Amino acid sequence: MEIGGTKVCRLTQLHWWALGATLMVLLLCAFMVQLIMTSTMKASSVLMFRSYISRQAVNDQLERVYDSNGYLIVSPNGGLNQMRAGICDMVAIAIYLNLTFVVPELDNTSFWRDNRQFGDIFDVDFFITSLRGQVRILKELPPMQKRRLEKMRQIVSFAPISWSDISFYYYQMLPLIKRYGLLHFTRTDTRLANNGLPLELQLLRCQVNYQALRFTTQIEELGKKIVRLLRKNGPFLVLHLRYEMDMLAFTGCTEGFDNREIEELTNMRYAYTWWKEKEIDSEKRRKDGGCPLTPEETAYALRALGIDPTKQIYIAAGDIYGGEKRMASLRLAFPRMVKKETLLKPSDLEPFKNHSNQMAALDYMVALEGDIFVPTFGGNMAKVVEGHRRHLGYKTTILLDRSIVVNLIDQYKNGNLSWVEFSQAMKTGHADRMGSPAQRLIIPGKPKEEEYFYSNPQECLPPIHQRPKVST
Ligand SMILES: *[C@@H]1O[C@H](CO)[C@@H](O)[C@H](O)[C@H]1NC(C)=O
Ligand SMILES: *[C@@H]1O[C@H](CO)[C@@H](O)[C@H](O)[C@H]1NC(C)=O
Ligand SMILES: *[C@@H]1O[C@H](CO)[C@@H](O)[C@H](O)[C@H]1NC(C)=O
Ligand SMILES: *[C@@H]1O[C@H](CO)[C@@H](O)[C@H](O)[C@H]1NC(C)=O
């Protein structure tokens, strides 16, 4: 930022040189630097707890003047939330390394097969202007660079090494960008380490995630409408019931399915050649906590944790495998169960219907607003929403320990535990799994096993001793 100021100084100085008005220039520079610093401070205070800024405030931000080291082009991969986290990482890197960022083209070859692009999901203009104090973002690569990329694709297009820290980007990627003028990262999932990064970079990840990325007006309005409809009927719990066919086929979890269904799931697993694991012991995996909870198990878990059976439950999910039949036990336990399809008119959802990322964006919005959020399996949505809810003031997120849950349920069912004992054991087992303030778990050398940065972005949250107590 100061350099931005210096640069303005240099240019202005040249201009006024002949007039010998150096003093005036200095005054002007001091004023500019002051102005830029003020806007920087404004930007960092925005990172603070539970703060919302209006579009107007962002538009007031001055554009950063800096020497770009080249263009960064990225192709985020995965579903909505994996892409979201990847985009945050890459924008943070672009800011840190003084690059010019290009609005990403989203992955439309993944399992989710959604051909909608960044601008159909996120507000592009807001994204660009809200970050203009830090980085130049172009909607498209300029034609000359496009030709360059095509010509040199074999050299400049590749996936960066997973879980890299900033030294990889600084010492290995930056020289390449300077040499070729651009780099294209073909994947963005978990390419930046969770920990051991400069604080500034961590804060930038949060700024992009919680401030610069917002959904399109169309999605925002429909999301708000769902929340309004829910609120009208009182508090609501958002249940991210990860129980779609792909998830079950992939994990090989067959608890409670009949032979025909098991065969169908197994066939799907074998059909996807890039899913490596084929032979799966469902029962063992379940006991180890490796299976998404079934709707029935979820009902037991929520009731045992003391969730009021008359509470509204919003199901944030795609198509539940097994349909209504499979949902019956959960509906019996919580009769006030709704989802966007039952709350909205079909015409409201029509524009989004075949676009899984936009549907997921709607659920994301509702999940942020729920009084309680409960994911039944730890996927990217579960993790990113968990962190976002911490950022919004440690809103309660019940992080079910699936191994504890299924083992206690089995003991309750075989009569070894009474309901009271079962319920008590569930509450004890989850006392510190409510999304309350906590240090992010760091496991040096095992990035896959540590807590994800976006689940608990503690650098962007108030220090632990100041944290408010959250009731459940
Ligand atoms: C980025 O630009 C700032 C000034 O805006 C400068 O201080 C810093 O050294 C630059 N970093 C790189 C990696 O070019
Ligand atoms: C994927 O997106 C690219 C760029 O927007 C587009 O050219 C291509 O046709 C899309 N592919 C599919 C399968 O939708
Ligand atoms: C949506 O997808 C279904 C099948 O999955 C198809 O029958 C229908 O025509 C599609 N609708 C639109 C508007 O693309
Ligand atoms: C029943 O509970 C006891 C103690 O809580 C435990 O040692 C035992 O293994 C359990 N039995 C079964 C069948 O789960």
Side-chain angles (χ1 to χ4, degrees), residues 105-109 113-117:
E105 277 190 8
L106 301 186
D107 179 11
N108 52 10
T109 58
R113 277 188 203 290
D114 185 344
N115 62 6
R116 289 287 160 107
Q117 279 304 307

mmCIF file of all heavy atoms in Angstrom, residues 105-109 113-117, ligand 2:
data_model
loop_
_atom_site.group_PDB
_atom_site.id
_atom_site.type_symbol
_atom_site.label_atom_id
_atom_site.label_comp_id
_atom_site.label_asym_id
_atom_site.label_seq_id
_atom_site.Cartn_x
_atom_site.Cartn_y
_atom_site.Cartn_z
ATOM 1 N N GLU A 105 -12.412 -19.702 -14.175
ATOM 2 C CA GLU A 105 -13.404 -20.527 -14.866
ATOM 3 C C GLU A 105 -13.631 -21.739 -13.983
ATOM 4 O O GLU A 105 -12.688 -22.416 -13.592
ATOM 5 C CB GLU A 105 -12.869 -20.981 -16.223
ATOM 6 C CG GLU A 105 -13.063 -19.939 -17.274
ATOM 7 C CD GLU A 105 -12.763 -20.447 -18.676
ATOM 8 O OE1 GLU A 105 -12.544 -21.665 -18.858
ATOM 9 O OE2 GLU A 105 -12.748 -19.609 -19.575
ATOM 10 N N LEU A 106 -14.878 -22.007 -13.669
ATOM 11 C CA LEU A 106 -15.155 -23.097 -12.730
ATOM 12 C C LEU A 106 -15.115 -24.454 -13.444
ATOM 13 O O LEU A 106 -15.317 -24.549 -14.643
ATOM 14 C CB LEU A 106 -16.504 -22.881 -12.058
ATOM 15 C CG LEU A 106 -16.646 -21.586 -11.273
ATOM 16 C CD1 LEU A 106 -17.974 -21.555 -10.543
ATOM 17 C CD2 LEU A 106 -15.497 -21.383 -10.297
ATOM 18 N N ASP A 107 -14.856 -25.433 -12.626
ATOM 19 C CA ASP A 107 -14.753 -26.811 -13.115
ATOM 20 C C ASP A 107 -16.142 -27.323 -13.494
ATOM 21 O O ASP A 107 -17.018 -27.403 -12.652
ATOM 22 C CB ASP A 107 -14.186 -27.652 -11.966
ATOM 23 C CG ASP A 107 -14.041 -29.113 -12.325
ATOM 24 O OD1 ASP A 107 -14.180 -29.446 -13.515
ATOM 25 O OD2 ASP A 107 -13.787 -29.906 -11.409
ATOM 26 N N ASN A 108 -16.327 -27.662 -14.753
ATOM 27 C CA ASN A 108 -17.623 -28.236 -15.119
ATOM 28 C C ASN A 108 -17.463 -29.686 -15.558
ATOM 29 O O ASN A 108 -18.308 -30.237 -16.227
ATOM 30 C CB ASN A 108 -18.341 -27.389 -16.180
ATOM 31 C CG ASN A 108 -17.445 -27.108 -17.376
ATOM 32 O OD1 ASN A 108 -16.376 -27.685 -17.497
ATOM 33 N ND2 ASN A 108 -17.902 -26.249 -18.261
ATOM 34 N N THR A 109 -16.332 -30.288 -15.195
ATOM 35 C CA THR A 109 -16.138 -31.690 -15.558
ATOM 36 C C THR A 109 -16.236 -32.566 -14.324
ATOM 37 O O THR A 109 -16.180 -33.776 -14.417
ATOM 38 C CB THR A 109 -14.736 -31.895 -16.152
ATOM 39 O OG1 THR A 109 -13.785 -31.472 -15.175
ATOM 40 C CG2 THR A 109 -14.552 -31.084 -17.412
ATOM 41 N N ARG A 113 -20.865 -31.659 -12.324
ATOM 42 C CA ARG A 113 -21.263 -31.305 -13.685
ATOM 43 C C ARG A 113 -22.204 -30.119 -13.761
ATOM 44 O O ARG A 113 -23.342 -30.227 -14.199
ATOM 45 C CB ARG A 113 -22.004 -32.489 -14.323
ATOM 46 C CG ARG A 113 -21.064 -33.482 -14.870
ATOM 47 C CD ARG A 113 -21.768 -34.544 -15.673
ATOM 48 N NE ARG A 113 -20.931 -35.719 -15.712
ATOM 49 C CZ ARG A 113 -19.797 -35.787 -16.393
ATOM 50 N NH1 ARG A 113 -19.424 -34.785 -17.142
ATOM 51 N NH2 ARG A 113 -19.067 -36.869 -16.347
ATOM 52 N N ASP A 114 -21.720 -29.008 -13.349
ATOM 53 C CA ASP A 114 -22.543 -27.820 -13.393
ATOM 54 C C ASP A 114 -21.835 -26.862 -14.330
ATOM 55 O O ASP A 114 -20.730 -26.447 -14.066
ATOM 56 C CB ASP A 114 -22.641 -27.231 -11.979
ATOM 57 C CG ASP A 114 -23.580 -26.057 -11.911
ATOM 58 O OD1 ASP A 114 -23.913 -25.514 -12.979
ATOM 59 O OD2 ASP A 114 -23.960 -25.684 -10.797
ATOM 60 N N ASN A 115 -22.477 -26.549 -15.445
ATOM 61 C CA ASN A 115 -21.769 -25.699 -16.407
ATOM 62 C C ASN A 115 -21.908 -24.213 -16.104
ATOM 63 O O ASN A 115 -21.491 -23.373 -16.871
ATOM 64 C CB ASN A 115 -22.217 -26.013 -17.830
ATOM 65 C CG ASN A 115 -23.690 -25.743 -18.031
ATOM 66 O OD1 ASN A 115 -24.350 -25.219 -17.131
ATOM 67 N ND2 ASN A 115 -24.208 -26.092 -19.182
ATOM 68 N N ARG A 116 -22.508 -23.889 -14.952
ATOM 69 C CA ARG A 116 -22.600 -22.490 -14.584
ATOM 70 C C ARG A 116 -21.206 -21.971 -14.224
ATOM 71 O O ARG A 116 -20.412 -22.687 -13.643
ATOM 72 C CB ARG A 116 -23.548 -22.325 -13.386
ATOM 73 C CG ARG A 116 -24.992 -22.554 -13.756
ATOM 74 C CD ARG A 116 -25.507 -21.397 -14.564
ATOM 75 N NE ARG A 116 -26.691 -21.745 -15.330
ATOM 76 C CZ ARG A 116 -27.925 -21.317 -15.026
ATOM 77 N NH1 ARG A 116 -28.137 -20.616 -13.951
ATOM 78 N NH2 ARG A 116 -28.920 -21.631 -15.814
ATOM 79 N N GLN A 117 -20.986 -20.718 -14.542
ATOM 80 C CA GLN A 117 -19.670 -20.155 -14.309
ATOM 81 C C GLN A 117 -19.652 -19.246 -13.072
ATOM 82 O O GLN A 117 -20.687 -19.007 -12.457
ATOM 83 C CB GLN A 117 -19.185 -19.450 -15.563
ATOM 84 C CG GLN A 117 -18.606 -20.428 -16.585
ATOM 85 C CD GLN A 117 -17.468 -21.264 -15.996
ATOM 86 O OE1 GLN A 117 -16.513 -20.755 -15.439
ATOM 87 N NE2 GLN A 117 -17.582 -22.580 -16.108
HETATM 88 C C1 LIG B 2 -17.202 -25.900 -19.521
HETATM 89 O O1 LIG B 2 -16.913 -24.524 -19.460
HETATM 90 C C2 LIG B 2 -16.195 -24.048 -20.564
HETATM 91 C C3 LIG B 2 -15.827 -22.611 -20.314
HETATM 92 O O2 LIG B 2 -16.907 -21.853 -19.882
HETATM 93 C C4 LIG B 2 -17.038 -24.241 -21.831
HETATM 94 O O3 LIG B 2 -16.336 -23.775 -22.948
HETATM 95 C C5 LIG B 2 -17.362 -25.720 -21.977
HETATM 96 O O4 LIG B 2 -18.224 -25.905 -23.069
HETATM 97 C C6 LIG B 2 -18.043 -26.232 -20.721
HETATM 98 N N1 LIG B 2 -18.216 -27.673 -20.805
HETATM 99 C C7 LIG B 2 -19.332 -28.303 -20.451
HETATM 100 C C8 LIG B 2 -19.313 -29.773 -20.518
HETATM 101 O O5 LIG B 2 -20.326 -27.696 -20.071
#
